[in-house]
Amino acid sequence: MRRLASSFVSGGCNLDPRGKFLWWVLPLALVVAGTLAAAGCSATGQQAGDSGANVLKIGAALSASGSLAHEGDVMKKGYELWKDTVNEKGGLNVGGKKYKVDMVYYDDKSDATTAGKLVEKLITEDKVDFIFGPFGSGISAAASAISEKYKKIFIATIANADTVYSRGFKYLFGILPPTTSGFGLNIDYLATLTPKPTKLAIIYPDDLFPASAAEAAKKKGEQMGFQFVFFQKYPKGTTDLSSIMTQVKAANPDALLNSGYMEDEVMMVKAAKELKFNVKYISSLGMPVFAFMKALGKDSDYLFDAQWWMPQSGWKGPFFGSSQDYNALYKKKYNEDATYYSAAASAGGLVLQTAIGKADSLDVEKVRAELAKTDMETFFGQIKYDETGFNRTGKGVIIQMKDGKINIVYPQNLATTKAVYPIPDWDKR
Amino acid sequence: MLQQLVNALLLGGIYALVGVGFSLIYGVMNIINLAHGALIMLAAYTTFWVFQLYGVDPFASIVISMALFFVIGFILQKYIVNRVVGQNVLMTMVLTYGFELIAVNFALYFWHADYRAVNPTYAGTGLEIGDVVVPYIKLGILTVAIVLTSLLYLFMTRTKIGNAIQATSLNKDAAQLVGIDIQYIYSFTYGLSAALAAAAGTLIAIVYTVTPSMEGGFLGKAFVIAILGGLGNSLGAIVGGVVLALAETFGVVVFGAAYQQIVGYVIFLLVLIVRPCGLVGRRFFSEL
């Protein structure tokens, strides 16, 4: 690398029109080369501490740049927490031998094609034993198609569009319950509220996961007798929602739902406030709530959101203990509260670790057979696979934000406070 | 409908600012500045931090970020971009794209991928005229956009250095013959463009979320706006910005939300086919 950079400078390619010696390019090239070399090392992950130990290698192509970089970063924290916890407890017991876990990460740039290529690289070059999934159904669908080809087990921790699992894949297992159990929970909740909302609006960015959530919620809502006065998708990555929100305002719904990502929700709330659009109920799906509240400040008050997991969820299981215990562990390491992103990632590790333990082998077919039989209570809730590898048993919660705090408002048995409904008008706050 | 027209005009203001600096560099240096989006992103972060740490109002910090980015742009051109002026187009793209990658990864490394937002107390408030709401912030942005582009126009036509910039863009050799230091003009122009990108970034920080990956969308928009208005034409950027905003807004009204961006790009393609110099552009004689 260094030779390459310096030969480029001293060689025939002189970029300086005045022909002066580029004295400063050489140190710069060295710095750049050094940084690249360092980055190259870190990309392959740290080797396990003592050289004699057995290593279980797991690969993950996560988004570290691009539109899903934040989500990828939080998931990585979940994988790392699981890895560290396993290694601190001495590693995994397989066939009488101790295995330390080693993770290999790559940046998929929030792009499905890149993720597919990186999974291939993980399997063929890094020779990883198992693959952990990235954030989102679209990317996971593309990436798992590659691992399936190589018969490697792919734990898609955050991918829950039906289309991901309906392809008849044998080596693909999910963690997150179906979109209907999260976004659709809004519909169940709306039916219990008084005054009962009747007219609903759903907008969503045109992407696999938001679309699958929105369509499932619409179907469920129509069955339960709600009327949809506005139901439209908009291009993913749009930078302005005011024109769409003006149309929504004109449709005059009682409740507004958006199944998009954080940028979408922030734009939607800002546009609603600007347009003085008052609606009785606004809900998003699976926000990274703490970052979300920080970004919106006071304006995040009274917003609802569907989450698949909260520290207060009250589930218990092996290894990590209860959901509160998991959160305490996470908080100790990262100094912030855990969200479902990292919890699902850690739960993926937990499920794999349990299956490996039962199989007492790293053989893909044996582990696959045990994974398929998974039926366990965990800190993340119930995990049980149907024949497609989809975990359909879990259920989410509806939360409401207020003063930087998160309150569970539905289902009733987990509710921590009574919701403020209808949410106050913008000028009455 | 009236509300949508207001939305479009206000959005057009932001778009105009995004496009004008991009257009300027192409007009003068013939460089497709792929670093433009990154400059917008870095300026948005500057605004965010100045607001977060010192409580400086974002509209006031326009002055700070414009001055800062003028200097950054000037230096960037003088020591780096200048080496590819006059080289083939691929080389200029590789260099500016390289800068963009460095800037984005710099932002990712230091500030992570978190979504951030600037929320001044007056955020979301607005003027109500009948059923139509005009948010103060966006009205302010439109005003700033019009003032800045008008100032730029006056600067280019009424000042010595502005005339020198125009002369350089028309014919670089002739400009040199009459004693214009074209190296200086190039650096000055790049600084000016960076300052305009900074103004855009600052204003965008108030209305949208700030993330390292925001640069891509705005670079694409800058391209479309500059082509619509005519590359190198500063007043054309206002036309381009407003046309794109109208297209996106009425695309939603007429065809539905899914067509928001398609309509803008279709107009973009039509303009390229029918009027390749842009809607208000005219052919520079240096290109003949």
Side-chain angles (χ1 to χ4, degrees):
Chain A
M1 188 71 211
R2 285 178 191 196
R3 268 219 338 252
L4 195 78
S6 44
S7 72
F8 179 73
V9 173
S10 58
C13 178
N14 189 353
L15 298 177
D16 189 344
R18 287 158 300 177
K20 257 196 259 168
F21 179 62
L22 306 181
W23 54 269
W24 55 272
V25 174
L26 197 67
L28 184 74
L30 290 179
V31 170
V32 171
T35 319
L36 288 177
C41 291
S42 66
T44 54
Q46 291 145 332
Q47 299 301 313
D50 33 332
S51 49
N54 297 299
V55 173
L56 172 69
K57 225 174 173 188
I58 297 175
L62 290 170
S63 308
S65 58
S67 59
L68 296 173
H70 177 80
E71 286 82 352
D73 186 47
V74 186
M75 282 180 76
K76 186 173 173 184
K77 287 179 177 170
Y79 290 142
E80 284 291 294
L81 184 64
W82 170 74
K83 180 194 87 174
D84 291 345
T85 314
V86 168
N87 289 347
E88 271 161 31
K89 291 184 178 175
L92 296 176
N93 274 320
V94 185
K97 278 190 252 166
K98 282 273 184 197
Y99 280 78
K100 290 262 181 194
V101 176
D102 184 21
M103 295 286 306
V104 184
Y105 297 104
Y106 289 117
D107 174 16
D108 67 22
K109 303 189 171 70
S110 306
D111 173 59
T113 322
T114 313
K117 284 182 199 146
L118 291 175
V119 165
E120 188 145 35
K121 182 174 157 70
L122 283 167
I123 296 169
T124 55
E125 286 177 34
D126 297 302
K127 312 252 184 273
V128 299
D129 301 292
F130 300 97
I131 307 273
F132 282 167
F135 181 88
S137 296
I139 302 184
S140 297
S144 56
I146 305 297
S147 56
E148 184 76 12
K149 192 173 86 182
Y150 287 98
K151 294 192 167 48
K152 284 278 177 200
I153 290 171
F154 188 104
I155 314 268
T157 50
I158 300 199
N160 61 355
D162 280 304
T163 44
V164 176
Y165 301 94
S166 58
R167 297 172 295 172
F169 283 7
K170 256 181 84 187
Y171 301 92
L172 171 68
F173 295 92
I175 290 294
L176 214 55
T179 44
T180 37
S181 68
F183 201 51
L185 208 58
N186 277 306
I187 308 285
D188 294 315
Y189 182 47
L190 285 168
T192 68
L193 292 171
T194 42
K196 197 185 167 200
T198 51
K199 293 178 289 179
L200 309 189
I202 295 184
I203 55 172
Y204 61 97
D206 193 5
D207 199 4
L208 205 54
F209 164 78
S212 132
E215 274 148 22
K218 182 174 184 237
K219 201 169 140 200
K220 187 170 177 179
E222 276 167 349
Q223 280 165 2
M224 290 172 70
F226 288 101
Q227 185 201 346
F228 283 85
V229 290
F230 197 90
F231 183 85
Q232 282 195 15
K233 63 182 172 197
Y234 55 84
K236 186 183 161 190
T238 187
T239 48
D240 192 82
L241 282 180
S242 9
S243 56
I244 295 158
M245 287 298 283
T246 306
Q247 299 290 92
V248 177
K249 187 184 177 184
N252 191 27
D254 296 321
L256 170 62
L257 313 178
N258 185 334
S259 54
Y261 306 111
M262 182 165 145
E263 270 176 299
D264 297 287
E265 309 294 343
V266 172
M267 272 192 290
M268 177 177 83
V269 174
K270 282 191 166 186
K273 189 180 177 190
E274 267 179 14
L275 295 166
K276 302 199 190 302
F277 171 33
N278 294 307
V279 61
K280 295 193 186 97
Y281 182 96
I282 296 187
S283 179
S284 46
L285 172 61
M287 286 298 101
V289 268
F290 302 105
F292 185 59
M293 289 191 296
K294 224 161 91 187
L296 277 174
K298 237 3 215 162
D299 292 344
S300 67
D301 278 359
Y302 310 110
L303 295 178
F304 292 88
D305 183 56
Q307 292 275 324
W308 278 283
W309 181 87
M310 288 296 294
Q312 302 91 329
S313 290
W315 288 306
K316 273 196 224 29
F319 194 65
F320 283 120
S322 70
S323 45
Q324 260 104 349
D325 295 339
Y326 174 81
N327 190 50
L329 196 67
Y330 187 92
K331 211 167 176 170
K332 208 173 119 201
K333 190 169 162 72
Y334 300 112
N335 206 19
E336 61 187 26
D337 280 304
T339 56
Y340 83 85
Y341 296 64
S342 24
S346 300
L350 174 60
V351 166
L352 178 67
Q353 154 194 4
T354 311
I356 291 175
K358 279 191 193 149
D360 202 22
S361 158
L362 291 180
D363 179 74
V364 170
E365 294 304 327
K366 283 183 190 153
V367 175
R368 200 206 80 86
E370 287 302 331
L371 265 177
K373 282 187 263 174
T374 300
D375 182 3
M376 63 190 288
E377 288 281 343
T378 72
F379 75 99
F380 191 73
Q382 181 83 11
I383 296 179
K384 182 176 195 252
Y385 293 115
D386 67 3
E387 66 283 1
T388 64
F390 201 172
N391 171 30
R392 288 184 187 274
T393 48
K395 236 186 172 7
V397 293
I398 299 287
I399 58 140
Q400 187 177 35
M401 296 163 230
K402 179 84 214 308
D403 299 325
K405 284 208 183 64
I406 295 158
N407 303 307
I408 299 183
V409 295
Y410 186 83
Q412 251 83 33
N413 60 335
L414 293 175
T416 50
T417 36
K418 204 172 153 6
V420 180
Y421 171 86
I423 60 179
D425 287 356
W426 290 107
D427 50 6
K428 293 196 185 96
R429 294 188 178 187
Chain B
M1 200 55 126
L2 207 54
Q3 176 73 56
Q4 293 289 22
L5 193 64
V6 170
N7 290 345
L9 286 175
L10 296 174
L11 184 63
I14 300 177
Y15 282 177
L17 266 187
V18 166
V20 66
F22 183 83
S23 185
L24 180 69
I25 291 193
Y26 185 82
V28 176
M29 273 179 268
N30 238 329
I31 282 181
I32 295 172
N33 184 25
L34 295 182
H36 199 71
L39 290 169
I40 291 178
M41 181 268 294
L42 290 175
Y45 269 102
T46 309
T47 308
F48 173 79
W49 286 117
V50 170
F51 176 78
Q52 192 80 359
L53 300 176
Y54 307 106
V56 180
D57 185 87
F59 278 98
S61 72
I62 290 182
V63 185
I64 305 172
S65 51
M66 282 187 77
L68 177 69
F69 278 80
F70 179 82
V71 176
I72 293 176
F74 192 95
I75 295 173
L76 190 67
Q77 203 287 335
K78 185 157 191 208
Y79 294 102
I80 300 174
V81 179
N82 203 24
R83 294 172 194 285
V84 296
V85 172
Q87 303 273 338
N88 70 39
V89 68
L90 191 67
M91 204 62 199
T92 66
M93 282 177 146
V94 167
L95 184 82
T96 52
Y97 186 57
F99 175 78
E100 199 231 7
L101 286 179
I102 291 174
V104 170
N105 283 290
F106 173 88
L108 268 176
Y109 185 82
F110 286 100
W111 306 314
H112 304 287
D114 297 349
Y115 302 93
R116 298 165 197 272
V118 178
N119 281 315
T121 44
Y122 48 86
T125 54
L127 200 62
E128 274 178 274
I129 312 162
D131 279 348
V132 180
V133 192
V134 185
Y136 289 132
I137 286 186
K138 287 191 172 167
L139 193 62
I141 291 175
L142 181 65
T143 314
V144 171
I146 292 175
V147 168
L148 282 178
T149 28
S150 311
L151 281 180
L152 180 71
Y153 180 75
L154 289 177
F155 176 80
M156 296 297 262
T157 50
R158 301 288 158 85
T159 65
K160 210 170 164 189
I161 188 158
N163 284 332
I165 291 177
Q166 283 199 312
T168 310
S169 77
L170 285 177
N171 189 331
K172 145 178 129 183
D173 298 325
Q176 217 163 5
L177 274 178
V178 297
I180 293 171
D181 177 357
I182 61 164
Q183 300 301 337
Y184 177 75
I185 291 296
Y186 281 165
S187 304
F188 193 93
T189 309
Y190 203 97
L192 210 55
S193 162
L196 289 165
T202 301
L203 299 175
I204 285 166
I206 320 174
V207 262
Y208 305 122
T209 43
V210 182
T211 73
S213 58
M214 66 192 276
E215 100 299 340
F218 288 107
L219 178 64
K221 297 261 193 265
F223 224 123
V224 175
I225 296 156
I227 301 261
L228 283 178
L231 278 167
N233 185 330
S234 57
L235 288 185
I238 293 193
V239 176
V242 171
V243 168
L244 181 64
L246 280 171
E248 287 189 354
T249 304
F250 286 94
V252 170
V253 177
V254 180
F255 302 106
Y259 295 87
Q260 189 192 37
Q261 283 168 15
I262 294 177
V263 177
Y265 283 108
V266 166
I267 293 183
F268 167 71
L269 277 179
L270 285 179
V271 166
L272 270 183
I273 295 167
V274 182
R275 278 190 68 89
C277 307
L279 290 172
V280 292
R282 61 198 162 88
R283 193 176 274 262
F284 269 21
F285 21 106
S286 65
E287 288 173 358
L288 284 171

